[in-house]
Amino acid sequence: MKRFVWMLLLLPIGLQAQVRTERLLEKGWRFTRDDAPAFAEPSYDDSRWQEVTVPHDWAIYGPFSAGNDLQHTAIAQDGQTQAVEHAGRTGGLPFVGTGWYRLRFEVPERNEGRRCTLLFDGAMSHARVYVNGREAIRWPNGYNSFHTDITPLLNPGGENLLAVRLENLPESSRWYPGAGIYRNVHLIVTDEAHVPVWGTQIITRRADEASARVRQCTALTVPQGKSPADYAIETAVTDPAGRIVARHRQSAGADFGDHCFEQEFTIDRPALWSPDTPALYTSTSEIYEGGELKDRYVTVFGIRTVEAVQGEGFRLNGKPLKFRGVCLHHDLGPLGGIVNESAIRHRIRLLKEMGCNAIRTSHNMPAPELIEICDETGMMVMAESFDEWETKKVENGYHKEFGQWAERDLVNLVRRFRNNPSVVMWCIGNEVPDQWNGDRGPKLSLRLQNICHREDPTRPVTQGMDAPDAVTANNMAAVMDIPGFNYRPHLYARNYLRLPQEMILGSETASTISSRGIYKFPVVRRSMPRYDDHQASSYDVEHCGWSNLPEDDFIQHDDRPYCMGEFVWTGFDYLGEPTPYYSDWPSHSSLFGIIDLAGIPKDRYWLYRSKWNPEAETLHILPHWNWKGREGEVTPVFIYTNYPEAELFINGRSQGRRRKDTGVTIDNSADSVSAADLKRQRRYRLMWMDTRYEPGTVKAVAYDEEGNAVAEREIRTAGEPYRIVLEADRTVIAADGKDYAFVTVRVEDRQGTPCPLADNEIRFEVTGAGYYRAGANGNPASLEPFQRPRMKLFSGMMTAVIAPTERPGTITVKATSPGLKKATVEIRSEAATQR
């Protein structure tokens, strides 16, 4: 992986091995939920505390309860403002309270003239960090990275004590935020003369297929009593194949402003970074004092340009590009708030296969691992910062810290990710209530945008505003580089006339709700429906009071040239916000996802895939065909496909051919509300609204533009559940303790037909070089613990997460359930040298 290569670069052979070292502080931590000032002291005995490995989320282990962070809020519903009790708003998990972490560590590579820095990628929340009993730093924002020089606090030799106090306040979040040191902690040791944390900025000044001009600014920290003129920098740039394509050496002269080296490189025939070609270059900078090497700093970057052009929209490398994006909360479903590269990669693979090209990190600063993986895989990123400014949404939210901390938080966000090519824009806020204040909102918007521009002049800035009429009237939208509108696409045309930028970004769209494999009748469009089972229909016709269906956005971005694309709410279900079941317990997770909490695609996945990835064959039939008791009743059938036409057969009898109605446009789709709904839907999906259920076989035959039959797909009525089937996403993983395998579990009948109604409890036994890490079934109303190695299927499926030990070998996963034929799958874990 890139990080492993980076570490090799930072640890050269021989005398140079001590130039710069960096290691993760992962093992040996002690943890408690108790709270006392003495916990910061080195002399305190923590031997009875729980031993944990970081990243660690203490709250994901539950138990679920309606009383955990019970909130009350006013919401608009059916035209009325009502006081609503949010039983599962933050997932029903016990994240409120205090936790302490302690770690004893040594710094053997430290000697006189060396500096030691702690870098936290994120700690939830209100972190207070102590080294040997003295406070080193505090940082309230749980999502942001922060760092501090701890050299003055270290013991001259031997052991040191690192203690971290974290506290999550009640009513401090609108979703599950996680709890604990849930991202990585780095210990960095350098010479006194060194490049500081996030000390380089690489800007593509010009780029095309022939050549690129790249500028690098490298900050330098020099020891007291030394002059920058004593130092020189030598930088080598290597291409994706590892070939040196540019080299430059420079001494610090009189114009060494802000202790920063400025270097420029010309790169011939550059490989430009894009979603289709995510080419990465590496800059390796060496700092010399005379002939002595003092530091080596590595920066991975991409050569590409981004711009927002008035009246045209977003351009990448000079070419127009529309966003096919999704919003993502930070939690990883059953793993909770922890960062895990294998889980992130699993998610990105699913999104890329769907045709997604961008992610909005809603509504917070992302984990560095997410951004690095997006760099590598070609996924663009809108990096977001705040959900609150000065005006509160929740009682103990970020509004309490905004005045003192907003600039520091924003500076850390930008400096952390300003060299990552996947990050193509900054987002300074989400639906902040300040948007309604014509005096405050525009001024705060400009202030935050100016900070972004000061720290990074290359990327445009946006924010998600859900009051388009208000923000175009008070000029808050006009302030932004890119005006981002959340929902209300029917207001795009009117508000576009007021926008000097002449462009609109769908910064948050859809909020269509569904539960995988659950279908409700009759099949009609509904807003905020509630059912006794706390589910939503997977016919994809239900949405929230403020939102809409996918086609309502598709048609805007297809037919209005000034629309730049969208970020759908959401790519995956997430913990908390179980809309519309605010006060209906049990409900612990959202229903917004295109993919469920278990990482299993819902029907809607194939609708977006048919639209966003038209080169890949998509032919998907819904609903399932197991409706005992509905014989003879109207049971509509939908087909999501990239082909223009399909014919439907039920037990061999044609139900007719349907063709997508591409003649429907934004102008002729609004004869009436109900007629408009059907017209927009028929442009993007094929629907047979009057078919009747009878057990048997449903077949779809797809036709191309010339009328040729090009693809077939069948679904069948299942018999009795007979066997368990296990499918691992990978059969070879790394023996590093954290390269997880994701095993999809389903039940089939004797003929191999999936049983979509099966809800058997599956028990797992994992032997060999691994263990059962977690599991999820995608049921938003399930209160089964994620970590217990047994769980009921939901709509016939679930996912088991299998973790390796650090000992290479074979991992055997066995799944059993009374009355079903058991299943096993083997996964091999290999040492890094084998891979």
Side-chain angles (χ1 to χ4, degrees):
M1 296 199 59
K2 175 159 62 100
R3 182 174 294 105
F4 179 69
V5 174
W6 185 29
M7 293 301 289
L8 290 178
L9 288 169
L10 294 177
L11 294 173
I13 298 172
L15 295 176
Q16 294 183 357
Q18 295 300 311
V19 169
R20 171 187 287 258
T21 64
E22 178 173 345
R23 70 176 188 264
L24 297 180
L25 301 180
E26 297 178 292
K27 298 178 182 179
W29 291 86
R30 295 281 180 170
F31 169 74
T32 185
R33 290 295 310 277
D34 294 331
D35 186 23
F39 295 170
E41 298 302 323
S43 60
Y44 181 81
D45 181 6
D46 58 18
S47 60
R48 294 188 179 183
W49 288 16
Q50 179 185 0
E51 188 170 349
V52 299
T53 298
V54 166
H56 175 249
D57 180 350
W58 80 60
I60 194 62
Y61 298 92
F64 291 104
S65 171
N68 287 331
D69 197 36
L70 189 65
Q71 297 187 22
H72 296 79
T73 189
I75 67 164
Q77 195 167 0
D78 299 326
Q80 302 291 324
T81 300
Q82 304 175 8
V84 174
E85 183 178 77
H86 279 262
R89 186 177 206 186
T90 49
L93 287 161
F95 78 95
V96 173
T98 304
W100 278 84
Y101 292 82
R102 285 167 55 97
L103 176 71
R104 298 185 186 277
F105 70 101
E106 295 182 357
V107 193
E109 64 269 48
R110 184 192 172 219
N111 52 41
E112 187 176 354
R114 305 285 285 170
R115 309 300 297 183
C116 296
T117 299
L118 277 177
L119 167 62
F120 286 76
D121 290 342
M124 189 61 68
S125 60
H126 293 277
R128 288 187 178 271
V129 179
Y130 301 86
V131 176
N132 295 324
R134 291 181 287 173
E135 184 168 287
I137 192 172
R138 63 175 287 257
W139 203 277
N141 194 315
Y143 296 104
N144 211 352
S145 300
F146 59 93
H147 58 89
T148 184
D149 185 341
I150 60 171
T151 308
L153 306 179
L154 293 175
N155 293 325
E159 188 176 75
N160 296 278
L161 187 281
L162 171 61
V164 183
R165 182 186 187 272
L166 299 171
E167 182 176 12
N168 285 338
L169 300 173
E171 297 192 56
S172 59
S173 180
R174 299 190 297 117
W175 54 83
Y176 177 68
I181 305 178
Y182 69 139
R183 295 179 182 171
N184 281 309
V185 182
H186 311 251
L187 179 63
I188 305 168
V189 182
T190 65
D191 191 90
E192 280 196 282
H194 64 276
V195 178
V197 174
W198 314 325
T200 58
Q201 183 172 19
I202 300 179
I203 294 174
T204 301
R205 298 174 65 89
R206 173 186 60 78
D208 55 33
E209 294 180 356
S211 68
R213 192 72 176 165
V214 176
R215 174 178 178 269
Q216 176 172 325
C217 180
T218 306
L220 177 64
T221 299
V222 300
Q224 187 174 6
K226 292 282 186 177
S227 166
D230 297 331
Y231 298 91
I233 185 172
E234 183 170 331
T235 299
V237 177
T238 55
D239 68 10
R243 298 181 295 256
I244 295 177
V245 293
R247 187 189 294 273
H248 184 269
R249 183 180 178 93
Q250 175 184 332
S251 297
D255 59 345
F256 192 72
D258 297 324
H259 286 195
C260 179
F261 291 102
E262 291 190 10
Q263 298 174 290
E264 288 213 1
F265 308 95
T266 298
I267 298 173
D268 294 328
R269 292 187 295 175
L272 301 183
W273 189 96
S274 75
D276 295 326
T277 58
L280 296 176
Y281 286 74
T282 302
S283 166
T284 303
S285 297
E286 296 181 333
I287 305 297
Y288 290 90
E289 182 182 7
E292 183 179 0
L293 179 66
K294 289 295 184 179
D295 196 10
R296 178 181 286 108
Y297 193 90
V298 177
T299 308
V300 177
F301 69 101
I303 297 175
R304 59 104 183 97
T305 60
V306 297
E307 56 184 335
V309 181
Q310 181 182 11
E312 297 182 22
F314 181 80
R315 287 179 173 265
L316 178 69
N317 298 323
K319 299 177 181 178
L321 185 147
K322 286 204 174 188
F323 292 101
R324 306 187 302 270
V326 298
C327 302
L328 281 186
H329 268 300
H330 75 295
D331 78 71
L332 296 174
L335 298 173
I338 68 162
V339 67
N340 177 267
E341 290 187 5
S342 60
I344 295 170
R345 288 188 184 278
H346 182 62
R347 288 187 159 206
I348 298 298
R349 280 195 297 269
L350 285 169
L351 292 173
K352 290 284 284 187
E353 289 168 9
M354 187 178 72
C356 177
N357 68 5
I359 288 171
R360 175 189 179 210
T361 66
S362 50
H363 298 297
N364 42 258
M365 299 82 170
E369 288 78 2
L370 170 65
I371 303 302
E372 290 172 5
I373 292 169
C374 288
D375 288 345
E376 297 170 18
T377 59
M379 184 72 76
M380 295 182 292
V381 176
M382 177 203 298
E384 193 155 299
S385 51
F386 308 123
D387 189 51
E388 285 184 358
W389 292 350
E390 290 186 354
T391 305
K392 73 176 182 181
K393 291 184 180 179
V394 289
E395 191 62 36
N396 291 307
Y398 188 73
H399 67 276
K400 290 192 169 183
E401 313 293 344
F402 180 85
Q404 181 180 356
W405 287 91
E407 181 166 359
R408 280 182 279 185
D409 274 322
L410 204 51
V411 166
N412 277 20
L413 170 70
V414 175
R415 291 186 180 178
R416 178 90 206 219
F417 300 122
R418 64 188 175 184
N419 294 321
N420 295 89
S422 61
V423 178
V424 297
M425 72 177 82
W426 308 110
C427 183
I428 58 174
N430 170 68
E431 299 179 4
V432 294
D434 306 89
Q435 69 188 312
W436 297 99
N437 186 319
D439 180 57
R440 180 189 302 159
K443 294 174 182 176
L444 289 177
S445 298
L446 185 59
R447 174 193 164 204
L448 297 176
Q449 182 169 261
N450 284 343
I451 294 170
C452 293
H453 287 169
R454 181 192 72 204
E455 297 296 322
D456 169 33
T458 72
R459 293 174 177 87
V461 181
T462 188
Q463 65 171 301
M465 300 169 284
D466 65 333
D469 287 343
V471 296
T472 52
N474 65 23
N475 289 323
M476 184 163 161
V479 164
M480 305 307 302
D481 296 332
I482 297 177
F485 288 166
N486 289 8
Y487 310 110
R488 298 164 182 85
H490 62 284
L491 298 179
Y492 281 4
R494 180 169 74 202
N495 285 286
Y496 165 73
L497 299 175
R498 305 173 181 173
L499 293 171
Q501 305 95 325
E502 299 181 88
M503 65 182 81
I504 290 176
L505 173 66
S507 45
E508 188 172 315
T509 64
S511 276
T512 304
I513 52 176
S514 62
S515 302
R516 178 180 51 80
I518 302 297
Y519 304 91
K520 303 296 185 180
F521 302 96
V523 181
V524 294
R525 180 168 182 159
R526 291 188 176 96
S527 173
M528 302 294 278
R530 291 164 66 182
Y531 304 100
D532 291 342
D533 60 1
H534 299 178
Q535 307 294 344
S537 177
S538 201
Y539 271 109
D540 302 323
V541 290
E542 298 180 351
H543 56 87
C544 300
W546 62 84
S547 64
N548 47 268
L549 302 183
E551 293 86 354
D552 301 334
D553 296 305
F554 288 166
I555 200 166
Q556 296 282 339
H557 295 279
D558 282 347
D559 290 4
R560 299 199 188 281
Y562 55 79
C563 289
M564 303 169 59
E566 60 175 317
F567 289 82
V568 178
W569 191 264
T570 54
F572 284 74
D573 280 338
Y574 56 93
L575 293 165
E577 288 196 308
T579 314
Y581 299 104
Y582 300 115
S583 55
D584 302 271
W585 185 259
S587 291
H588 74 260
S589 67
S590 76
L591 296 92
F592 300 115
I594 298 170
I595 302 168
D596 73 12
L597 200 72
I600 302 173
K602 303 180 186 179
D603 289 297
R604 205 166 355 124
Y605 179 93
W606 307 103
L607 176 61
Y608 281 100
R609 189 176 191 262
S610 70
K611 177 76 170 64
W612 286 358
N613 192 6
E615 301 305 315
E617 183 173 280
T618 298
L619 187 57
H620 179 76
I621 306 170
L622 68 141
H624 62 69
W625 209 240
N626 296 261
W627 299 104
K628 186 176 181 180
R630 285 190 61 84
E631 289 81 1
E633 293 189 39
V634 171
T635 306
V637 175
F638 292 0
I639 292 177
Y640 298 156
T641 181
N642 62 313
Y643 294 111
E645 186 176 4
E647 186 172 8
L648 181 71
F649 297 85
I650 298 178
N651 291 328
R653 298 190 304 276
S654 176
Q655 307 298 303
R657 288 169 70 154
R658 298 280 189 274
R659 187 174 181 85
K660 293 178 183 176
D661 190 353
T662 55
V664 176
T665 68
I666 195 77
D667 295 321
N668 66 15
S669 70
D671 301 332
S672 68
V673 174
S674 58
D677 292 343
L678 287 174
K679 280 187 174 183
R680 286 192 293 273
Q681 290 168 25
R682 286 171 180 158
R683 177 167 165 177
Y684 300 100
R685 42 177 141 178
L686 302 174
M687 304 184 294
W688 287 258
M689 299 300 296
D690 55 357
T691 50
R692 296 180 182 273
Y693 175 69
E694 58 182 63
T697 301
V698 178
K699 183 172 77 170
V701 178
Y703 299 89
D704 63 17
E705 286 289 355
E706 286 71 41
N708 302 308
V710 289
E712 290 188 7
R713 165 85 171 153
E714 288 186 351
I715 62 172
R716 297 180 177 87
T717 304
E720 291 299 314
Y722 172 69
R723 67 167 69 89
I724 303 169
V725 177
L726 303 179
E727 292 182 359
D729 70 324
R730 294 173 298 148
T731 56
V732 179
I733 58 178
D736 61 0
K738 50 194 176 185
D739 189 19
Y740 301 158
F742 293 80
V743 179
T744 302
V745 186
R746 70 174 184 273
V747 167
E748 296 177 348
D749 67 9
R750 286 180 178 272
Q751 284 69 46
T753 302
C755 299
L757 303 181
D759 61 356
N760 309 67
E761 182 179 78
I762 309 296
R763 293 176 176 256
F764 298 91
E765 181 182 345
V766 181
T767 56
Y771 61 96
Y772 187 90
R773 177 65 176 81
N777 58 15
N779 182 356
S782 171
L783 300 184
E784 297 171 271
F786 295 129
Q787 300 78 24
R788 188 177 65 184
R790 65 179 190 271
M791 181 169 282
K792 285 186 175 182
L793 300 174
F794 178 63
S795 296
M797 300 179 74
M798 67 163 291
T799 298
V801 184
I802 307 302
T805 63
E806 295 184 11
R807 173 176 56 86
T810 298
I811 306 168
T812 301
V813 182
K814 182 170 72 173
T816 60
S817 184
L820 297 179
K821 185 177 180 180
K822 69 181 181 182
T824 62
V825 66
E826 288 191 349
I827 301 162
R828 190 170 75 254
S829 67
E830 296 182 347
T833 54
Q834 295 176 274
R835 296 167 62 82

